[in-house]
Amino acid sequence: MRIYGEEHPNQQILSRIATNDGHGENSSYFDGWKAYEKDPFHLTDNPTGVIQMGLAENQLSLDLIRDWMKKNPQASICTEEGVSEFKAIANFQDYHGLPAFRKAIAQFMEKVKGGRARFDPDRIVMSGGATGAQETIAFCLADPGEAFLIPTPYYPGFDRDFRWRTGVQLLPIHCHSSNKFKITQAALETAYRKARNSHIRVKGIVVTKPSNPLGTTMDRDTLRTLVSFVNEKRMHLVCDEVFSGTVFDKPSYVSVAEVIQDDPYCDRDLIHIAYSLSKDLGVPGFRVGVIYSYNDAVVSCARKMSSFGLVSSQTQHLLASMLGDEEFTTSFLATSRTRLCGRRRVFTDGLKRVGIHCLDGNAGLFCWMDLRPLLKEATVEAELRLWRVIINDVKLNISPGSSFHCSEPGWFRVCFANMDDTAMKIALRRIESFVYRENDAAVQAKNKRRWDEALRLSLPRRRFEDPTIMTPHLMSPHSPLVQAAT
């Protein structure tokens, strides 16, 4: 006799959220992380382990932050110089956030975006990282079953951030390498029309700029097209600008805030920005996310919802002092951009030496690497087979394009800013050895095909065409060519 609930106990006693796979951890993107966690590279303790190149983390300028903290111990309540503020900071703070913190964040956002847009501290809403910011925005703008359009390829974590707990859908705007994955008016219209034909209500468009995973910035004309499109369709535009401080080369960064300032006809209630200090400052562990909306109702609702993911007052206190230091932030951003540019150049030059190319990029902490020439066939299955070899044999955690919903197999995101120079050199040597091995195998296979073809052509054609000529071991005992015994 089967006990009730024995076969699927979790489905019986837990919620749908607890038992579904909406988090997206079954993706190859997260599988790569798991492979790294099981066998992490360490220069001395595990030199043959997996090198983490799937984590978009900016570790190239953390020394600058450490130096600032050493010179400014009063910024922390955990030091002798700053402990006098302990009681005030440790006590309860409401979900508006410390005024000094919101002011400093607004100033930093202005500087990151080139000083061409202004941000009101009273519209700054705190969140536990960009993940919390995106989910809160989704809760504020859409109901379960409704959808946002999003250009492909896009960050796999959005499937978690926007969808898992909210019940909101993400529908692709298909972009292609033929125009460097640029969003077009035609692609927008096609995605919108397809959703409407499926009776899905579209509540907005989500874009990441600079792009993750492409490492490219969005030009002003494309941004204007998006603003015009959402105004025409009466839907929202959510701009994830968490990488805006990582733009290290031309063209310069254009924020949606800059575009709508110059557009007197834009309905600003439809425009929302998600920001974070995780990428630009390189402090994801601080869990500082920001929602900036031009819609008063969204600001009000998001601020109430921020109770579920506040930034600690200790972190706010420290960052208010750091980001309020104009000399430091100016120097930090300039140095960080220089280092990112140099690291990307070293990495892409190393790839070029073995014939691997990347999409031209000017921002971000990663490259969009083109491994299509290494595919046995242009399919997702072939891409994943190649990815497994790179994970298990080459010992590099890079992320396959299919996990970013890319419609063209063979593209991979590879992060270059989350390791030191030594690890980067080792990673490049592994890639070089792998490519040479693959090329040698391809040459051998090609030579074998040529040899087989030459051998076939060198044999006398009569041998295969004349039915009266057969070798004894090919003759059947029932063949008419077998002579009867006399």
Side-chain angles (χ1 to χ4, degrees), residues 313-382:
S313 55
Q314 180 181 352
T315 300
Q316 292 182 54
H317 178 68
L318 173 66
L319 291 174
S321 182
M322 181 185 296
L323 300 182
D325 186 337
E326 291 286 338
E327 183 178 351
F328 169 73
T329 54
T330 300
S331 174
F332 176 87
L333 287 172
T335 302
S336 177
R337 287 163 175 159
T338 298
R339 292 179 181 180
L340 286 171
C341 185
R343 172 58 69 82
R344 189 185 197 278
R345 186 182 303 113
V346 168
F347 183 65
T348 54
D349 285 351
L351 294 179
K352 287 177 184 177
R353 285 195 292 271
V354 293
I356 295 176
H357 299 278
C358 297
L359 186 73
D360 289 339
N362 65 324
L365 313 174
F366 34 72
C367 297
W368 193 232
M369 183 168 64
D370 186 1
L371 297 186
R372 287 178 295 177
L374 295 181
L375 295 185
K376 305 301 183 187
E377 55 188 17
T379 64
V380 172
E381 291 74 17

Side-chain angles (χ1 to χ4, degrees), residues 222-293:
T222 301
L223 199 46
R224 284 172 174 162
T225 296
L226 288 169
V227 171
S228 176
F229 189 84
V230 298
N231 272 266
E232 176 190 341
K233 305 297 185 185
R234 302 304 301 160
M235 65 171 71
H236 298 276
L237 176 60
V238 179
C239 291
D240 182 322
E241 299 193 346
V242 300
F243 290 98
S244 52
T246 69
V247 179
F248 50 76
D249 205 352
K250 294 180 179 178
S252 60
Y253 183 72
V254 181
S255 171
V256 70
E258 182 181 345
V259 169
I260 65 173
Q261 281 182 173
D262 300 331
D263 185 353
Y265 303 106
C266 172
D267 183 351
R268 296 189 179 190
D269 281 350
L270 302 175
I271 309 299
H272 320 275
I273 297 173
Y275 185 60
S276 166
L277 297 181
S278 297
K279 312 304 180 182
D280 290 352
L281 208 60
V283 289
F286 281 22
R287 308 309 303 146
V288 179
V290 170
I291 298 165
Y292 191 91
S293 176

Side-chain angles (χ1 to χ4, degrees), residues 23-149:
H23 182 276
E25 272 196 339
N26 58 350
S27 161
S28 54
Y29 173 78
F30 290 105
D31 286 344
W33 283 46
K34 295 170 187 175
Y36 166 77
E37 289 168 357
K38 291 179 181 177
D39 185 25
F41 167 82
H42 188 278
L43 185 60
T44 54
D45 295 344
N46 191 24
T48 61
V50 176
I51 295 177
Q52 173 64 289
M53 304 188 82
L55 176 61
E57 195 168 70
N58 185 1
Q59 298 186 17
L60 301 185
S61 298
L62 288 178
D63 60 308
L64 303 180
I65 296 177
R66 286 196 301 266
D67 290 345
W68 184 91
M69 294 178 71
K70 289 178 180 178
K71 295 175 182 176
N72 297 272
Q74 75 285 352
S76 172
I77 60 174
C78 299
T79 64
E80 183 176 351
E81 293 83 354
V83 73
S84 61
E85 295 294 319
F86 174 80
K87 182 178 180 180
I89 298 302
N91 283 342
F92 175 78
Q93 305 290 337
D94 71 23
Y95 43 63
H96 286 72
L98 299 176
F101 171 72
R102 288 187 285 113
K103 179 181 178 182
I105 284 284
Q107 290 175 344
F108 188 67
M109 290 175 67
E110 290 177 6
K111 180 170 292 188
V112 161
K113 300 171 198 314
R116 294 179 294 274
R118 294 289 177 263
F119 294 92
D120 181 355
D122 289 334
R123 291 193 176 278
I124 297 289
V125 180
M126 290 185 299
S127 175
T131 293
Q134 300 287 16
E135 185 185 59
T136 300
I137 289 174
F139 270 126
C140 289
L141 303 184
D143 291 319
E146 295 177 337
F148 290 95
L149 304 180

